[in-house]
């Protein structure tokens, strides 16, 4: 089991300012956490009739918060900069929201009131705090894009939930909603996903859902949306575990959705998928599905079971059950601020019960990486991971994947490799598409498909990288990694063969040496030297590593790469 020896992490979760204030006694001052200089959350006591100079300053401040949130900002009106929850009388609040609306118009954004809350301040007049979402399409990109990997046991309802969210129609209880998501005939016949598929859900600048119910094509959804959620639908069956691992390591999801069936609870591959998310440090939230099939007591028992597992030393998470829109807003903000918070939703894809709460959460969920990190990655040389390869009539060879660093434009000259003999080949990017819409510039962290014209598809394979020629990429067949052996039936020794996953690389490797030890048992750590069996790969020091073979499982990170020269490749037979 993946969760066997994952080290526990000490956490201290502070309540969201409003909850903290509401839980305090009346004799105590209403005090939340102070405003952070970075990030996309702004506290404002009031915005009543500002001077022109002050107004221009407020607009500049809003631009900064929108940039930090990559197109999204949250304003809390009635809160001082130090977090003191003062609140405003109705007239002052109305005037403040009017000013905020003028500010948003100036920067080309829309505002949506998320929630209002009364505060018990030293005043006879009722006072309120209002939280407002400000959203615009960033100047330098088409839309804000979040990637969500969908995990869970077979038959938990993953594809059905995605079908309901993206198609806008409830399921009939017999799997009608999932039919549009399947890619192969055997998937339709068995009802089980065996491959990785992508589904999109959009939100416009006012926070309204944009999906296939009112848009005929993906292009229309992209054009109408300010924010896109790209769901990566992964396989639940144990037989396709290698596909699920590839989806998590290669597609770099921002977070994961773990689906648990209310009537079966934690069963089958659920624990394994939970362990995968923990091992790869992917933040996740949980959806308990099929609540229409069982009694309320059964749903409560499944939620309690999940809470017990999440609080165990191997997970050390803070479960947060979402039962109202207010909870959904709080959950989205807490989830972004602390990776240890795990929201839990209970819903039905047939009756639609509580489905809106999940939509509210996804709409408000901010980017989990800040703008500074993305800017730093964009300054580096171009590196694109090849995850999928297609041949499209009248277009030619097309590759799908993620740009891990740099910027890629139409017409760029790149090199792709390594080939089986360790070489890198020159190619030209003819066109770029993001979520099936044309795109001229691709930035670090974004997923896309690149058309390569008449480049020979036979020369490409999954696991390759397309990089800038100035990078002078190094390749290796031998590398070392510091690992933790999560589970092995006997002892892990020299000569043992495992399937290694590092980013988009997936290949069999043999254990050449275990430093300072002869063998490893479950739970032990060591630095191990691996050798790829088939061909050299492009690896970087520090990359997360995951390996498996049957029931044997382990995690770690690459500590050393033994770069090989052209002469060494020839001698080794590559």
């Amino acid at each position: 089991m993946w969760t066997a020896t994952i080290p526990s992490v000490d956490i201290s979760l502070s309540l969201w300012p409003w909850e903290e204030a509401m839980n305090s006694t009346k004799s105590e001052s209403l005090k939340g956490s102070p405003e952070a200089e970075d990030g996309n959350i702004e506290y404002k006591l009031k915005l009543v009739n500002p001077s022109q100079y002050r107004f221009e300053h407020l607009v500049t401040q809003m631009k900064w918060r929108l940039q930090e949130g990559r197109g999204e900002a949250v304003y809390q009106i009635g809160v001082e900069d130090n977090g003191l929850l003062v609140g405003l009388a109705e007239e002052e609040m109305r005037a403040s929201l009017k000013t905020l609306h003028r500010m948003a118009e100036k920067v080309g954004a829309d505002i949506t009131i998320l929630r209002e809350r009364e505060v018990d301040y030293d005043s006879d007049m009722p006072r309120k705090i209002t939280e407002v979402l400000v959203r615009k399409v960033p100047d330098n990109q088409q839309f804000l894009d979040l990637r969500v990997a969908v995990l869970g046991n077979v038959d938990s309802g993953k594809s059905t939930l995605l079908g309901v969210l993206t198609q806008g129609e409830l399921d009939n209880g017999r799997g009608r909603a999932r039919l549009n998501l399947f890619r192969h005939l055997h998937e339709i016949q068995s009802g089980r996903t065996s491959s990785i598929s992508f589904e999109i859900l959009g939100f416009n600048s006012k926070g309204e859902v944009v999906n296939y119910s009112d848009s005929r094509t993906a292009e229309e959804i992209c054009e109408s949306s300010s924010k896109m959620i790209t769901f990566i639908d992964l396989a639940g069956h144990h037989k396709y575990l290698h596909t699920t691992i590839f989806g998590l390591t290669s597609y770099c999801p921002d977070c994961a959705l773990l689906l648990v069936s209310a009537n079966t609870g934690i069963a089958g591959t659920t624990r394994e998928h939970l362990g995968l998310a923990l091992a790869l440090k992917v933040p996740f939230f949980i959806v308990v599905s099929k609540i229409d099939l069982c009694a309320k007591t059964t749903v409560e028992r499944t939620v309690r079971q999940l809470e017990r597992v999440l609080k165990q030393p191997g997970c050390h998470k803070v479960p947060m059950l979402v039962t109202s829109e207010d909870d959904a807003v709080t959950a989205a903000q807490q989830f972004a601020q602390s990776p240890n918070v795990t929201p839990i939703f209970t819903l039905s894809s047939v009756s639609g019960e509580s489905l809106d709460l999940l939509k509210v959460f996804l709409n408000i969920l901010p980017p989990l990486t800040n703008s500074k990190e993305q800017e730093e990655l964009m300054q580096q040389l171009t590196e694109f991971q090849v995850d999928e390869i297609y041949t499209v009539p009248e277009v030619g060879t097309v590759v799908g994947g993620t740009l891990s660093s740099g910027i890629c434009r139409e017409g760029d000259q790149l090199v792709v490799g390594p080939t089986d003999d360790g070489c890198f080949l020159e190619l030209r990017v003819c066109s770029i598409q993001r979520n099936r819409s044309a795109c001229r510039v691709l930035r670090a962290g974004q997923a896309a498909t690149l058309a390569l014209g008449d480049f020979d598809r036979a020369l490409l394979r999954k696991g390759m990288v397309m990089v800038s020629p100035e990078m002078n990429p190094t390749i290796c067949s031998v590398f070392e990694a510091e690992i933790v052996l999560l589970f092995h039936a006997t002892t892990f020794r020299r000569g043992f063969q495992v399937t290694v996953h590092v980013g988009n690389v997936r290949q069999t490797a043999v254990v050449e040496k275990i430093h300072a030890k002869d063998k490893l048992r479950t739970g032990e750590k060591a630095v191990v030297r691996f050798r790829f069996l088939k061909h050299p790969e492009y690896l970087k020091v520090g990359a997360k590593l995951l390996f498996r073979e049957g029931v044997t499982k382990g995690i770690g990170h690459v500590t050393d790469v033994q770069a090989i020269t052209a002469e060494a490749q020839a001698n080794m037979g590559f």
Side-chain angles (χ1 to χ4, degrees), residues 436-457:
R436 302 163 208 175
S437 297
C439 169
R440 292 194 176 277
V441 182
L442 188 65
R443 292 173 172 81
Q446 296 178 344
T449 52
L450 312 183
L452 308 179
D454 57 0
F455 191 86
D456 187 0
R457 176 181 172 168

Side-chain angles (χ1 to χ4, degrees), residues 192-224:
R192 291 178 177 175
T193 305
S194 64
S195 58
I196 299 171
S197 64
F198 297 86
E199 298 303 322
I200 56 174
L201 174 68
F203 293 95
N204 63 21
S205 56
K206 295 178 181 176
E208 297 163 344
V209 171
V210 183
N211 56 23
Y212 286 107
S213 64
D214 45 20
S215 304
R216 280 181 301 229
T217 63
E219 289 87 345
E220 286 182 23
I221 293 176
C222 294
E223 285 168 12
S224 307

Side-chain angles (χ1 to χ4, degrees), residues 151-376:
L151 301 168
N153 188 37
V154 64
D155 298 333
S156 60
K158 297 185 295 299
S159 299
T160 299
L161 175 62
L162 295 193
V164 169
L165 287 172
T166 59
Q167 305 296 325
E169 288 184 16
L170 294 174
D171 188 50
N172 63 351
R174 294 187 295 277
R176 181 180 63 191
R178 68 189 177 192
L179 292 179
N180 291 318
L181 276 64
F182 289 144
R183 296 173 67 182
H184 305 290
L185 178 62
H186 71 86
E187 291 181 332
I188 295 171
Q189 291 169 342
S190 67
R192 291 178 177 175
T193 305
S194 64
S195 58
I196 299 171
S197 64
F198 297 86
E199 298 303 322
I200 56 174
L201 174 68
F203 293 95
N204 63 21
S205 56
K206 295 178 181 176
E208 297 163 344
V209 171
V210 183
N211 56 23
Y212 286 107
S213 64
D214 45 20
S215 304
R216 280 181 301 229
T217 63
E219 289 87 345
E220 286 182 23
I221 293 176
C222 294
E223 285 168 12
S224 307
S225 302
S226 302
K227 179 177 185 175
M228 296 287 297
I229 307 291
T230 302
F231 292 107
I232 307 166
D233 189 14
L234 302 174
H237 201 283
H238 196 276
K239 185 166 66 170
Y240 307 117
L241 183 63
H242 63 285
T243 304
T244 303
I245 295 173
F246 181 78
L248 277 173
T249 57
S250 179
Y251 291 107
C252 311
D254 295 290
C255 60
L257 184 166
L258 180 66
L259 211 68
V260 178
S261 177
N263 55 348
T264 58
I266 298 175
T269 54
T270 305
R271 282 181 187 270
E272 203 146 14
H273 286 188
L274 174 63
L276 278 171
L278 289 165
L280 295 169
K281 296 183 179 174
V282 178
F284 62 92
F285 58 96
I286 296 175
V287 172
V288 177
S289 64
K290 302 186 182 181
I291 63 170
D292 56 297
L293 286 182
C294 44
K296 190 177 178 182
T297 52
T298 308
V299 177
E300 288 170 353
R301 187 171 68 240
T302 300
V303 170
R304 285 197 302 272
Q305 184 189 20
L306 283 165
E307 288 174 341
R308 278 199 305 274
V309 170
L310 291 171
K311 290 175 182 175
Q312 285 175 357
C315 296
H316 222 300
K317 297 283 184 182
V318 180
M320 180 180 180
L321 185 62
V322 176
T323 57
S324 66
E325 274 198 29
D326 205 53
D327 289 346
V329 175
T330 305
Q333 294 176 349
Q334 285 283 21
F335 186 67
Q337 290 168 11
S338 170
N340 297 303
V341 175
T342 304
I344 301 175
F345 298 83
T346 57
L347 54 80
S348 166
S349 298
V350 175
S351 68
E353 185 181 343
S354 299
L355 201 61
D356 286 342
L357 300 184
L358 181 59
K359 291 176 184 174
V360 168
F361 174 81
L362 293 171
N363 174 39
I364 298 166
L365 187 63
L368 302 181
T369 55
N370 62 39
S371 56
K372 284 182 184 173
E373 288 175 11
Q374 193 188 28
E375 281 173 20
E376 286 172 10

Side-chain angles (χ1 to χ4, degrees), residues 491-550:
T491 52
F492 188 77
R493 299 172 179 270
R494 181 175 176 271
F496 195 76
Q497 291 186 11
V498 292
T499 302
V500 172
H501 297 260
V502 185
N504 64 334
V505 170
R506 178 174 67 188
Q507 194 186 146
T508 304
V510 64
V511 176
E512 280 205 335
K513 183 180 181 181
I514 303 175
H515 289 279
K517 292 183 180 181
D518 294 329
K519 58 192 176 185
L520 281 181
R521 294 185 181 276
T522 298
E524 292 184 342
K525 273 187 179 182
V527 175
V528 176
R529 186 194 299 159
F530 293 95
R531 177 186 291 277
F532 287 124
L533 290 183
K534 290 179 72 179
H535 41 70
E537 298 281 10
Y538 172 79
L539 296 183
K540 289 200 287 192
V541 172
K544 291 176 190 170
L545 171 142
L546 193 147
F547 63 87
R548 62 179 182 84
E549 181 55 48

Side-chain angles (χ1 to χ4, degrees), residues 21-22 24-25 28-32 83-86 119-121:
M22 296 309 147
S24 64
T25 61
E28 296 175 318
S29 65
L30 297 176
K31 185 78 180 287
L84 190 67
L85 307 179
V86 178
V119 292
D120 190 8
Y121 196 69

